[in-house]
């Protein structure tokens, strides 16, 4: 059975004096819903804080990943408990398709929450959708298809840049053996989007990037890859052009990651195993590592090994809460 877990970490020093040697402390760890009560399987969770401090969590769920009954589900935390999960979006179009990879996002200082997700028969043919909520996830607008060629954030959150534009980390699975990454940049109203490739000429196969904003306003993406490492690229012009893809010092067995800025440093949550004989092997572990520059990742701050029988994949997602805490939401997937 698959579950979604929400973990809350306390930073033991202030953000301005954060040091790499600090070890996160778990304040709270809990299941968002009762396992097996609502659906057989779930995956690819995302979390967001509302303007008034509530938490929204979302994931896709159904009988099995890729089946037509897979929908986008969500729950709201009011400070005391999580609400019963509800369906927030479905894949009804000319026929019913499965839903995939929801991502929650809120612009700086805004109360509107966006729910991005994908609909389609598989990751090679899916398309991007979005809904909006003005009441902290109680109700959602009608689903809107994103412009042609725009998929929205594939797994990890968009970031709002200093100039107000929104940059969404995205990627395409051209085939089962060829993956490429890009970013999609929208104006402040998120009505006009433009797509910018990330070194598509490279032989690296990368998907699911996360975006880091550095003090000089340069941008960095960190990507999942088929090459056994976390892969990086840099932009000096707000995401319009990108450097050649290059390996970081982090190994990774083709498994999802996420990265955030924590004070003056950066954290990444990732799977530390080397690739196995099969692509899904060894995907039941998570580490959090820290870096001062986004390339040289030092000691592990925290590690988790899920005690789940069988082959398991974990897709984690980060969120800074009230500038004091780090939220990590993750889903475990039985293969």
């Amino acid at each position: 059975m698959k579950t979604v877990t929400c973990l809350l970490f306390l930073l033991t020093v202030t953000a301005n004096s954060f040091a790499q040697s600090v070890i996160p402390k778990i304040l709270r760890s809990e299941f968002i819903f009762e396992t097996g009560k609502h659906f057989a399987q779930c995956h690819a969770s995302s979390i967001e804080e509302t303007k008034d401090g509530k938490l929204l969590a979302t994931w896709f769920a159904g009988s099995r990943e890729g089946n037509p009954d897979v929908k986008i589900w969500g729950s709201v935390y009011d400070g005391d408990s999580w609400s019963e999960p509800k369906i927030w979006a479905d894949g009804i179009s000319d026929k019913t398709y499965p839903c995939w990879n929801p991502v929650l996002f809120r612009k700086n200082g805004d109360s509107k929450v966006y729910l991005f997700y994908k609909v389609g028969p598989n990751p090679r043919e899916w398309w991007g959708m979005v809904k909006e909520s003005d009441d902290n996830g109680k109700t959602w607008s009608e689903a809107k298809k994103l412009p042609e060629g725009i998929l929205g954030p594939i797994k990890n959150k968009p970031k709002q840049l200093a100039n107000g534009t929104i940059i969404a980390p995205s990627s395409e699975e051209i085939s089962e053996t060829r993956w490429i990454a890009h970013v999609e940049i929208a104006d402040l109203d998120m009505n006009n989007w433009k797509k910018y490739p990330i070194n598509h000429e490279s032989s690296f196969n990368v998907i699911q990037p996360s975006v880091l904003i550095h003090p000089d306003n340069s941008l960095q993406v960190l990507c999942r890859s088929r090459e056994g490492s976390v892969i990086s690229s840099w932009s000096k012009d707000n995401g319009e052009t990108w450097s050649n893809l290059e390996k970081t010092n982090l190994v990774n067995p083709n498994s999802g990651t996420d990265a955030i800025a924590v004070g003056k440093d950066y954290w990444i949550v990732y799977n530390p195993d080397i690739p196995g004989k099969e692509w899904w092997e060894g995907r039941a572990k998570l580490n959090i590592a820290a870096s001062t520059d986004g390339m040289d990742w030092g000691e592990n701050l925290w590690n988790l090994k899920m005690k789940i029988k069988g082959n398991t994949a974990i897709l984690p997602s980060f969120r800074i809460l009230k500038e004091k805490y780090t939220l990590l939401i993750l889903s475990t997937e039985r293969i």
Side-chain angles (χ1 to χ4, degrees):
M1 197 65 62
K2 305 181 185 180
T3 59
V4 174
T5 303
C6 181
L7 300 174
L8 186 64
F9 299 94
L10 171 66
L11 306 187
T12 56
V13 295
T14 62
N16 288 334
S17 62
F18 174 79
Q20 190 168 330
S21 60
V22 171
I23 306 300
K25 298 175 74 172
I26 297 179
L27 290 183
R28 186 166 179 167
S29 172
E30 63 184 349
F31 291 110
I32 291 178
F33 53 81
E34 182 181 340
T35 302
K37 180 178 179 180
H38 304 280
F39 33 74
Q41 300 183 355
C42 71
H43 199 37
S45 47
S46 178
I47 195 164
E48 183 58 272
E49 182 186 14
T50 65
K51 189 175 182 180
D52 62 0
K54 293 182 173 64
L55 297 176
L56 306 184
T58 186
W59 55 89
F60 70 75
S63 59
R64 184 177 176 83
E65 179 174 337
N67 284 354
D69 67 345
V70 173
K71 298 176 175 63
I72 304 301
W73 290 70
S75 179
V76 179
Y77 183 74
D78 61 7
D80 295 315
S81 61
W82 289 96
S83 65
E84 282 291 300
K86 294 182 178 180
I87 294 172
W88 283 357
D90 59 40
I92 297 175
S93 183
D94 57 318
K95 62 178 184 179
T96 301
Y97 295 95
C99 295
W100 311 78
N101 293 20
V103 178
L104 292 166
F105 172 68
R106 182 173 62 86
K107 292 183 286 189
N108 298 337
D110 201 359
S111 59
K112 185 187 297 293
V113 178
Y114 295 86
L115 171 63
F116 294 95
Y117 59 103
K118 274 62 66 184
V119 172
N122 57 64
R124 292 164 297 284
E125 300 177 82
W126 64 22
W127 56 89
M129 302 290 292
V130 65
K131 285 189 167 189
E132 302 172 3
S133 177
D134 293 310
D135 55 10
N136 298 337
K138 292 180 181 178
T139 61
W140 294 91
S141 67
E142 291 294 320
K144 179 182 178 182
K145 186 176 181 180
L146 292 171
E148 190 67 29
I150 299 297
L151 295 173
I154 284 295
K155 173 193 169 292
N156 296 320
K157 285 186 179 299
K159 296 291 175 62
Q160 187 169 2
L161 304 183
N163 63 8
T165 59
I166 311 300
I167 183 167
S170 196
S171 57
E172 296 174 78
E173 300 181 35
I174 304 300
S175 68
E176 292 188 0
T177 57
R178 182 55 180 157
W179 297 349
I180 54 176
H182 64 272
V183 296
E184 298 167 356
I185 299 178
D187 57 18
L188 183 59
D189 295 328
M190 299 179 72
N191 291 323
N192 301 297
W193 294 81
K194 193 169 182 180
K195 179 177 175 181
Y196 296 93
I198 300 176
N199 191 205
H200 285 183
E201 299 76 22
S202 172
S203 60
F204 287 122
N205 292 277
V206 292
I207 55 171
Q208 298 174 358
S210 52
V211 176
L212 294 177
I213 303 174
H214 287 259
D216 63 355
N217 288 323
S218 62
L219 304 178
Q220 180 188 14
V221 291
L222 292 161
C223 307
R224 166 183 172 178
S225 81
R226 296 174 57 87
E227 281 71 36
S229 298
V230 176
I231 307 294
S232 175
S233 179
W234 295 79
S235 174
K236 301 293 186 181
D237 54 9
N238 290 323
E240 294 190 13
T241 61
W242 292 86
S243 67
N244 290 340
L245 291 165
E246 56 183 325
K247 288 186 177 182
T248 67
N249 65 332
L250 293 173
V251 298
N252 182 251
N254 183 13
S255 188
T257 69
D258 198 7
I260 54 171
V262 179
K264 295 181 179 180
D265 287 12
Y266 307 98
W267 283 12
I268 187 169
V269 56
Y270 73 107
N271 185 306
D273 273 357
I274 60 175
K277 181 179 178 181
E278 302 291 350
W279 69 269
W280 59 77
E281 289 182 341
R283 296 178 71 198
K285 297 179 182 178
L286 283 181
N287 278 8
I288 295 176
S291 174
T292 58
D293 62 6
M295 289 299 293
D296 183 15
W297 296 87
E299 63 182 295
N300 290 318
L301 303 180
W302 177 84
N303 62 77
L304 168 72
K305 185 172 182 179
M306 302 295 288
K307 296 179 179 179
I308 299 175
K309 296 179 181 180
N311 293 316
T312 301
I314 304 175
L315 254 63
S317 181
F318 265 143
R319 177 69 167 89
I320 293 292
L321 174 65
K322 301 184 186 303
E323 300 182 355
K324 294 173 60 179
Y325 306 102
T326 300
L327 278 171
L328 170 62
I329 188 171
L330 58 95
S331 55
T332 66
E333 178 182 19
R334 176 73 56 82
I335 301 298

